[in-house]
Amino acid sequence: QGDMAALASTTLPPTDRIYLSYEGCFQLKHENAKLLSYSITPSVDTEETSNPNEPVKVDLIFDRSPFHPQGGGQPSDIGIIVDNISMASFKVTKCSFSFATNLVTHHCVCEDGQPSFNLEGENSWKLSVDEETRLLYSKYHSAGHLVDSAMYRLGYELPPEKGYHFLDGPYVEYKGAIPAEKRDELVSKLKEEFVTLCKEDIPTTICMMTKEEAEKELNRTQKNFDFEVFSDPEVRIVGVAGFRCPCGGTHVRSTKELEDFTVTGLKVKKGKTKVKYDRIKN
């Protein structure tokens, strides 16, 4: 069918990202999404390269989605999308988000059947996030926030600058350097604080605040967030173990779910402190 952009993305309404609310963060299925746009990756139709068995790659945009796209230091959800009309199924390999259009694009491979791609008539799709992968990514992201909380509890109010919550070497980076003679001691204390915070079974909180409210509430104690960088009037605020900060990711319900994580090390370079963490290896 070649390259088929069904609708220009600039004409589409923003994707309703279900995971942004607290309950939506744990809603992994949406039974009746409406397809707004699709684009089929063209195949090179030559005798040397054509492969009739090669799966069709499709980009899909819906009115609503439970899928978390890659961003904010967190990997993309994966899962399955099914056309409720034709029953054609797609494997979601990655999702991306455009801040310019506020659209989530689901990058898929057609696994079975012939989809209808009917944008005018009956149009219903089932979106299902892979539960095991979502929970794993949520744990890694929440554990990164647990580092923030542990640092704050221990009296280190360094502004967090970057969070890398992927599985291959996660860390949180702060502005400021921990003195060399205190680094080993801090790692030991952070390990202990991790255990304490998990035992306290502290619920995660998610809410929306205006930039003015967030500035007043969060910087009243932490004094390390610049809310002028946010273009939207409201900011999503996530609290893990009582430490609240702007965040667009998915999380666990409570610190108790993070008992298998710990701080693994600390590195200081060019005036920045990187605290590493990971799952406890058995």
Side-chain angles (χ1 to χ4, degrees):
Q1 290 178 300
D3 185 13
M4 300 179 62
L7 286 172
S9 61
T10 53
T11 67
L12 299 179
T15 305
D16 180 4
R17 292 176 283 162
I18 295 171
Y19 65 86
L20 288 178
S21 70
Y22 178 81
E23 286 304 328
C25 193
F26 309 103
Q27 180 183 329
L28 303 183
K29 296 184 187 299
H30 182 45
E31 302 283 346
N32 187 24
K34 182 179 179 181
L35 181 67
L36 301 181
S37 175
Y38 67 93
S39 177
I40 302 175
T41 302
S43 58
V44 181
D45 191 18
T46 66
E47 196 171 309
E48 294 81 9
T49 60
S50 62
N51 182 1
N53 298 318
E54 186 177 348
V56 178
K57 296 180 180 179
V58 185
D59 290 345
L60 305 174
I61 297 176
F62 298 93
D63 60 338
R64 306 187 73 213
S65 177
F67 281 82
H68 178 274
Q70 183 166 314
Q74 180 176 333
S76 166
D77 280 334
I78 58 174
I80 299 293
I81 291 176
V82 176
D83 179 357
N84 289 330
I85 309 302
S86 70
M87 299 310 296
S89 65
F90 297 80
K91 180 180 179 180
V92 182
T93 58
K94 185 178 179 180
C95 295
S96 58
F97 178 71
S98 168
F99 285 95
T101 61
N102 286 315
L103 294 173
V104 174
T105 300
H106 307 74
H107 307 286
C108 310
V109 174
C110 186
E111 290 204 310
D112 183 53
Q114 180 61 46
S116 59
F117 292 135
N118 185 357
L119 300 180
E120 300 299 329
E122 194 173 5
N123 176 349
S124 174
W125 296 69
K126 180 179 179 179
L127 282 58
S128 303
V129 175
D130 183 82
E131 182 176 2
E132 183 178 352
T133 306
R134 162 65 76 83
L135 178 57
L136 183 62
Y137 292 166
S138 296
K139 280 188 170 185
Y140 268 83
H141 198 151
S142 292
H145 285 235
L146 200 63
V147 173
D148 290 333
S149 181
M151 288 281 285
Y152 185 71
R153 277 201 180 191
L154 293 172
Y156 291 90
E157 298 183 30
L158 303 180
E161 288 199 329
K162 181 181 180 182
Y164 181 79
H165 311 300
F166 285 67
L167 278 57
D168 59 334
Y171 63 85
V172 181
E173 188 172 82
Y174 300 90
K175 183 178 181 180
I178 302 296
E181 67 275 10
K182 292 187 177 181
R183 293 171 193 171
D184 289 343
E185 180 188 10
L186 176 56
V187 170
S188 296
K189 287 184 176 180
L190 286 170
K191 288 176 183 284
E192 294 173 1
E193 196 63 37
F194 250 57
V195 173
T196 300
L197 289 168
C198 291
K199 285 183 177 178
E200 290 181 13
D201 194 12
I202 305 169
T204 297
T205 62
I206 298 175
C207 68
M208 299 298 293
M209 289 185 179
T210 65
K211 287 195 290 187
E212 292 76 15
E213 289 172 335
E215 179 84 42
K216 181 179 179 181
E217 283 292 313
L218 274 65
N219 283 337
R220 177 170 54 86
T221 54
Q222 293 151 203
K223 299 182 178 64
N224 54 13
F225 299 111
D226 179 11
F227 290 96
E228 293 305 313
V229 301
F230 297 96
S231 57
D232 293 333
E234 288 194 321
V235 183
R236 183 176 184 255
I237 303 298
V238 172
V240 174
F243 185 92
R244 296 186 297 170
C245 66
C247 178
T250 63
H251 292 274
V252 299
R253 291 184 182 272
S254 164
T255 57
K256 187 173 178 59
E257 297 179 57
L258 304 174
E259 290 177 332
D260 55 342
F261 282 81
T262 188
V263 169
T264 59
L266 186 152
K267 182 179 180 181
V268 177
K269 186 177 180 180
K270 296 181 179 179
K272 296 184 179 182
T273 298
K274 182 182 291 186
V275 179
K276 303 176 184 179
Y277 68 95
D278 210 334
R279 298 182 86 172
I280 298 171
K281 303 294 190 285
N282 296 324

